Amino acid sequence: LETGEADEIRAAVSTFNAADLAEFIEHASDDEDETGLRLFQSLPREKQAKIFGYIGPDMQLAFARLIPNRELAGIVTNMSADERADFFNILGDNQQHALFQSLASREREDLRRLASFEEGTAGALMTSDYAVISSGMTVASAMDLLRNTAPDKETIYQAYVVGEDHRLLGVISLRNLITSAPNAVVDTLMATGLVSAHTHTDKEEVARLISRYDLLALPITDDDNRLVGIVTYDDAMDVAEAEATEDMHKGATVGRLETGLKTASPFSLYRSRVQWLVILVFANIFTGASIDHFQQTISTHIALLFFMPLLIASGGNAGAQSATLMVRGLATGDVTAKDWGMLLGKDLLVATGLGLTMAAAVSVVGLYKAGPQIATVVAISMIVVVLLGSTIGMLLPFLLDKLKFDPATASMPLITTIADVSGVLIYFTIASVVLGLP
Amino acid sequence: LETGEADEIRAAVSTFNAADLAEFIEHASDDEDETGLRLFQSLPREKQAKIFGYIGPDMQLAFARLIPNRELAGIVTNMSADERADFFNILGDNQQHALFQSLASREREDLRRLASFEEGTAGALMTSDYAVISSGMTVASAMDLLRNTAPDKETIYQAYVVGEDHRLLGVISLRNLITSAPNAVVDTLMATGLVSAHTHTDKEEVARLISRYDLLALPITDDDNRLVGIVTYDDAMDVAEAEATEDMHKGATVGRLETGLKTASPFSLYRSRVQWLVILVFANIFTGASIDHFQQTISTHIALLFFMPLLIASGGNAGAQSATLMVRGLATGDVTAKDWGMLLGKDLLVATGLGLTMAAAVSVVGLYKAGPQIATVVAISMIVVVLLGSTIGMLLPFLLDKLKFDPATASMPLITTIADVSGVLIYFTIASVVLGLP
């Protein structure tokens, strides 16, 4: 950037949204090119702070190395409290210490507290920049307070009313405040019995509460019911999206990725995928061994081999459907562990219908290709295989949930593998019986 | 409910959240039991309207049949405009007509317009209860306007500034209004260049915009840039959740479900699952036919059969991983169609690494079980199968996207089936070559 153009660019840039600017700056920054960094450094402090909250952790660290400490401290001071704590947590010890020294004592205290919560909890997600009103205040004074503190708050549309010791008593919306008589006391107007969460509540539960009750923000309290922070709806949206992505990845045995697919390094992708692939290689040996076991049956009726892939795949496919329905139902809260009996009954009914339909389809092929005897074997096997696959797919997520594992571990490849082994055993056992083999 | 207790219950119930009440009422309502309905009817009109927006479409229809028309009209009048239009759209012609007659002409006009937008678009999702300010107004008069119209608005935290012909000029937040000088003109304070969408924009794109820019609400305009509605963040959260659910279901070949798993009827579950299962039964015939084709190779080296399930499953598993990463990346906007070249390169690199690792694992088993020749065949096949499976899994979602299909159609069972057929062909072809068979 030529120095002459700087002002023009600054003016143009000021109309852009922080999210767009962050994306542009990330694209314009690599080892060679410092355009992104220079553009970033030319922006006003508040815009910088906002953008810094948007860019990914890798780029944050790269910028933290390149930007002078004083400047960085200014940016960090202007960041929202929750984003500041997240950034702090990815820094090394030396950098944390340096940053800590450069902050005012109030921010330092706040940062120390926010950064101390365990990853994945409401405490780690929340911000301390919430609007608070003391019990007994009038509407007019509450409005004055909100007006004066607005610039530092994440939101002023929900103000939390606290009593002695900062205990959470209720919430009042700005909508309610501006439509109420100025001399009314907030306690008479506030909503009580409000939805809140604890600092140690799981962040996915936080997102679910915000989504279920259509909240702008969820207040977070400590063990003594003292208000310590809020989580806003935009953070809940990010959590819900990340959670859905993680569940989908798990459903295909892809492990945790720190970044998106586009920015992930080949090695991190390799690492997230290799574990289950190798486990499943060994698990599939059981399928091979089962086939081996029925060598004699197979060599006597080589036509049986033709229907094997179709049968074992059908069990896996039906199982994948049931497992996916169940995993997602548990994740969204649509179904809970206590529903398992009702859902099992329904699944058995549905799977019977599916099995009969698929048996009808396959027996046509069976008759044409291998005659009535093998068609019978294939049709019976299909019904059993689909019923079993579907039941395993339905029950495994529940079982995992019960054992405190993530139900999403019931991935499709895992279900498919289990269905393959049992499919081979079922098919050739039925064949042996019907065809009168030893 | 005894009549004597009614007041007490009403008082107790008024402290509950509409979402919780709706759930309770849904649970307490079935063909036999009218507790839910009676509780619902005992509540004040505004609470009824809120709850009516929360309960599912089936229950809405059931209540609409049981509640007298006059009462229903009162509830519907109090509903938010978008929820009213959704309810209207599930009614039959006669019911629509009856409801229409009972509404005031203003609401009637509004309902007609909102209900006319195609399902799945911003128009069908938006509400017309937005806060609007005319260009040229002062902060004080804008505040007065918002204060007076607040009860009817979905949100007053974002007020849209319109010019002649209701053209959208900018947005101003209530936070900005209350902290500005009362005599300032809103035009000097409003944010311009704001993010907006058209009535025909896809609802998933609307949810993405709201999430990306952390918006409270997204203004929706018609073709002439006239403001016609807004979509609020809570609706965007619901859309994002439903979308993730649909994509997960599609990934396991489960079709569209109108309700959650818990309330879905066995027949609707059957219908959503049967189509692809039957298609895949026939697709799997190709795998069987491929095995048939290599009967001679198999009977000469029956040990080859042992490794077949393991090899074809590995191709499918690697493909399922790639496809899932890609489908989700496209859905969240992390990757776009133009990234395919870069992602293919990365995927080939990762898949080569995975193939080599899995080949090493399987060749140990191969050596032990069937000697060096077959171990070589199996190891080479593993590398090829994993590379091919992963590449198909990566490219298929892109191809579907390019052809204007939903990338999520690249389901795991479909990928597995394609991988099965090609796995069998690759394995036995390599075996024929290495083992010197005809």
Side-chain angles (χ1 to χ4, degrees):
Chain A
L1 305 176
E2 297 294 317
T3 37
E5 302 170 38
D7 284 346
E8 275 175 60
I9 291 172
R10 233 179 308 228
V13 154
S14 71
T15 66
F16 284 102
N17 194 296
D20 290 331
L21 279 173
E23 188 173 313
F24 178 78
I25 286 168
E26 284 200 285
H27 277 286
S29 301
D30 58 41
D31 301 341
E32 301 290 302
D33 187 1
E34 294 199 343
T35 315
L37 179 65
R38 287 216 239 144
L39 173 64
F40 179 74
Q41 288 188 291
S42 76
L43 295 171
R45 196 65 92 220
E46 273 159 44
K47 200 97 186 177
Q48 283 183 326
K50 233 172 170 176
I51 292 170
F52 206 68
Y54 271 109
I55 61 178
D58 290 346
M59 187 75 44
Q60 280 186 337
L61 286 177
F63 274 27
R65 269 196 310 276
L66 295 167
I67 295 172
N69 253 339
R70 262 183 97 94
E71 202 180 322
L72 187 65
I75 296 168
V76 170
T77 307
N78 277 284
M79 283 172 83
S80 69
D82 51 342
E83 287 170 355
R84 179 164 55 208
D86 291 342
F87 171 61
F88 183 76
N89 275 331
I90 62 168
L91 292 175
D93 282 348
N94 282 340
Q95 289 169 296
Q96 282 191 343
H97 187 75
L99 180 60
F100 224 68
Q101 295 305 321
S102 61
L103 291 176
S105 73
R106 219 186 94 89
E107 261 113 35
R108 215 183 283 183
E109 210 36 65
D110 185 60
L111 177 58
R112 196 198 302 276
R113 206 165 46 83
L114 282 182
S116 71
F117 290 103
E118 202 187 330
E119 183 69 27
T121 63
L125 193 63
M126 72 187 186
T127 179
S128 48
D129 300 332
Y130 53 87
V132 67
I133 294 173
S134 297
S135 168
M137 263 191 179
T138 62
V139 167
S141 51
M143 286 283 293
D144 278 342
L145 182 65
L146 291 183
R147 206 176 274 125
N148 293 331
T149 54
D152 297 328
K153 301 302 177 197
E154 187 93 12
T155 181
I156 57 163
Y157 299 141
Q158 299 289 329
Y160 298 92
V161 182
V162 295
E164 218 176 310
D165 257 1
H166 220 70
R167 282 202 169 69
L168 179 60
L169 301 177
V171 65
I172 187 161
S173 67
L174 185 58
R175 183 202 282 243
N176 205 337
L177 282 173
I178 71 162
T179 53
S180 296
N183 60 346
V185 176
V186 289
D187 301 60
T188 61
L189 299 165
M190 71 184 183
T192 54
L194 72 178
V195 183
S196 69
H198 282 86
T199 49
H200 48 75
T201 303
D202 193 272
K203 67 177 176 181
E204 289 148 30
E205 177 62 18
V206 168
R208 259 196 297 272
L209 287 172
I210 289 176
S211 168
R212 175 179 167 86
Y213 296 107
D214 292 345
L215 303 175
L216 261 171
L218 180 75
I220 310 295
T221 56
D222 66 9
D223 290 333
D224 300 321
N225 194 34
R226 277 190 296 248
L227 181 64
V228 289
I230 57 167
V231 174
T232 47
Y233 72 95
D234 51 320
D235 291 325
M237 288 180 104
D238 294 343
V239 168
E241 183 180 309
E243 176 57 12
T245 300
E246 210 183 298
D247 276 1
M248 280 192 213
H249 287 178
K250 269 199 180 162
T253 68
V254 176
R256 209 177 142 68
L257 276 174
E258 292 301 325
T259 57
L261 175 61
K262 199 166 164 181
T263 44
S265 71
F267 181 67
S268 68
L269 281 167
Y270 169 84
R271 206 176 37 193
S272 73
R273 294 174 60 173
V274 72
Q275 191 191 353
W276 270 99
L277 286 182
V278 172
I279 293 174
L280 291 169
V281 164
F282 287 103
N284 271 297
I285 289 176
F286 290 101
T287 315
S290 306
I291 296 177
D292 235 27
H293 179 74
F294 289 101
Q295 258 188 37
Q296 216 195 323
T297 313
I298 295 170
S299 16
T300 319
H301 291 271
I302 196 91
L304 287 173
L305 219 46
F306 178 88
F307 296 97
M308 187 185 71
L310 172 163
L311 278 173
I312 63 179
S314 294
N317 292 343
Q321 290 185 332
S322 288
T324 302
L325 283 166
M326 215 55 58
V327 167
R328 184 61 180 163
L330 286 167
T332 57
D334 174 32
V335 301
T336 52
K338 65 175 168 32
D339 299 323
W340 79 273
M342 179 270 274
L343 289 166
L344 178 63
K346 193 149 76 177
D347 191 68
L348 286 174
L349 197 63
V350 174
T352 306
L354 293 171
L356 288 170
T357 312
M358 292 159 82
V362 83
S363 54
V364 176
V365 186
L367 272 174
Y368 171 79
K369 175 87 192 167
Q373 260 203 321
I374 285 186
T376 311
V377 171
V378 171
I380 297 172
S381 303
M382 180 63 97
I383 297 170
V384 179
V385 153
V386 168
L387 257 173
L388 186 73
S390 195
T391 307
I392 292 171
M394 209 232 88
L395 289 181
L396 193 57
F398 271 124
L399 192 69
L400 290 165
D401 192 48
K402 194 94 189 164
L403 301 172
K404 308 275 174 212
F405 289 102
D406 186 344
T409 313
S411 64
M412 279 180 253
L414 181 61
I415 302 277
T416 305
T417 304
I418 298 172
D420 282 357
V421 182
S422 38
V424 167
L425 293 174
I426 290 167
Y427 178 40
F428 290 119
T429 304
I430 292 177
S432 304
V433 173
V434 174
L435 304 175
L437 297 168
Chain B
L1 305 177
E2 297 295 317
T3 38
E5 302 170 38
D7 284 347
E8 274 175 58
I9 291 172
R10 233 181 306 230
V13 153
S14 71
T15 66
F16 284 103
N17 195 297
D20 289 331
L21 279 173
E23 187 172 313
F24 178 77
I25 287 168
E26 284 199 285
H27 278 286
S29 303
D30 58 43
D31 300 340
E32 301 292 301
D33 187 2
E34 293 199 343
T35 315
L37 179 64
R38 288 217 237 141
L39 174 63
F40 179 74
Q41 287 188 294
S42 76
L43 295 171
R45 196 65 93 220
E46 273 161 44
K47 200 95 184 180
Q48 284 182 326
K50 233 174 170 175
I51 292 171
F52 206 69
Y54 270 109
I55 61 177
D58 290 346
M59 188 73 45
Q60 280 186 338
L61 286 177
F63 274 27
R65 268 195 310 275
L66 296 167
I67 295 172
N69 253 340
R70 260 184 98 92
E71 202 181 322
L72 188 65
I75 296 169
V76 170
T77 308
N78 277 282
M79 283 174 81
S80 70
D82 50 344
E83 288 170 356
R84 181 164 54 209
D86 291 342
F87 172 60
F88 184 76
N89 275 331
I90 62 167
L91 292 175
D93 282 347
N94 283 339
Q95 290 170 297
Q96 283 192 344
H97 186 74
L99 181 61
F100 223 68
Q101 295 306 321
S102 62
L103 292 176
S105 73
R106 220 186 95 89
E107 263 115 33
R108 215 183 285 182
E109 212 34 67
D110 185 59
L111 178 57
R112 197 198 302 275
R113 205 164 47 82
L114 282 183
S116 71
F117 290 104
E118 201 186 332
E119 182 69 26
T121 63
L125 192 63
M126 72 187 185
T127 180
S128 48
D129 300 332
Y130 52 87
V132 66
I133 294 174
S134 297
S135 168
M137 265 193 177
T138 62
V139 167
S141 49
M143 285 284 291
D144 278 341
L145 182 66
L146 291 182
R147 207 174 275 124
N148 294 331
T149 55
D152 297 327
K153 301 304 178 198
E154 186 93 12
T155 181
I156 57 164
Y157 299 141
Q158 299 289 327
Y160 299 91
V161 183
V162 293
E164 220 176 311
D165 258 1
H166 220 71
R167 281 205 169 68
L168 179 62
L169 300 177
V171 64
I172 187 160
S173 67
L174 185 58
R175 182 201 284 242
N176 204 338
L177 282 173
I178 70 162
T179 53
S180 296
N183 59 347
V185 175
V186 289
D187 300 61
T188 60
L189 298 165
M190 70 185 183
T192 53
L194 72 179
V195 183
S196 69
H198 281 85
T199 49
H200 48 74
T201 303
D202 193 89
K203 67 177 176 180
E204 289 146 30
E205 176 62 19
V206 168
R208 258 195 297 272
L209 288 172
I210 289 175
S211 168
R212 176 178 167 87
Y213 296 107
D214 292 344
L215 303 176
L216 261 172
L218 180 74
I220 310 295
T221 56
D222 67 9
D223 291 334
D224 299 322
N225 194 33
R226 277 190 295 248
L227 181 63
V228 289
I230 58 166
V231 174
T232 48
Y233 72 95
D234 50 322
D235 292 325
M237 288 180 105
D238 294 342
V239 167
E241 184 182 307
E243 175 58 13
T245 299
E246 209 183 299
D247 276 1
M248 279 191 213
H249 287 178
K250 269 199 180 161
T253 67
V254 175
R256 209 177 143 69
L257 276 175
E258 292 301 325
T259 57
L261 175 61
K262 199 166 164 182
T263 44
S265 71
F267 180 68
S268 69
L269 281 167
Y270 169 85
R271 206 177 37 195
S272 73
R273 293 174 60 173
V274 72
Q275 191 191 352
W276 270 100
L277 286 182
V278 172
I279 293 174
L280 291 169
V281 164
F282 287 102
N284 270 296
I285 289 177
F286 290 101
T287 314
S290 306
I291 296 177
D292 237 27
H293 178 75
F294 288 104
Q295 259 188 36
Q296 213 194 327
T297 313
I298 294 170
S299 21
T300 319
H301 291 270
I302 196 89
L304 286 173
L305 219 46
F306 178 88
F307 296 98
M308 187 186 71
L310 171 163
L311 278 174
I312 64 180
S314 294
N317 293 343
Q321 290 184 333
S322 287
T324 302
L325 283 166
M326 214 56 58
V327 167
R328 184 60 180 162
L330 286 167
T332 58
D334 174 33
V335 302
T336 52
K338 65 174 171 29
D339 299 323
W340 79 273
M342 180 270 274
L343 289 166
L344 178 64
K346 194 150 73 176
D347 191 68
L348 286 174
L349 197 63
V350 174
T352 306
L354 293 170
L356 287 171
T357 311
M358 292 158 81
V362 84
S363 56
V364 177
V365 186
L367 270 175
Y368 170 79
K369 174 88 191 164
Q373 260 202 322
I374 287 187
T376 310
V377 171
V378 171
I380 297 173
S381 303
M382 181 63 98
I383 297 169
V384 179
V385 154
V386 168
L387 257 174
L388 186 73
S390 195
T391 306
I392 292 171
M394 207 233 88
L395 289 181
L396 193 58
F398 271 123
L399 192 69
L400 289 165
D401 193 50
K402 194 95 190 164
L403 299 173
K404 308 276 174 209
F405 289 102
D406 186 345
T409 314
S411 63
M412 280 181 252
L414 181 62
I415 302 275
T416 304
T417 304
I418 298 173
D420 282 357
V421 182
S422 38
V424 167
L425 293 174
I426 290 167
Y427 178 40
F428 291 118
T429 304
I430 291 177
S432 304
V433 173
V434 174
L435 304 174
L437 299 167

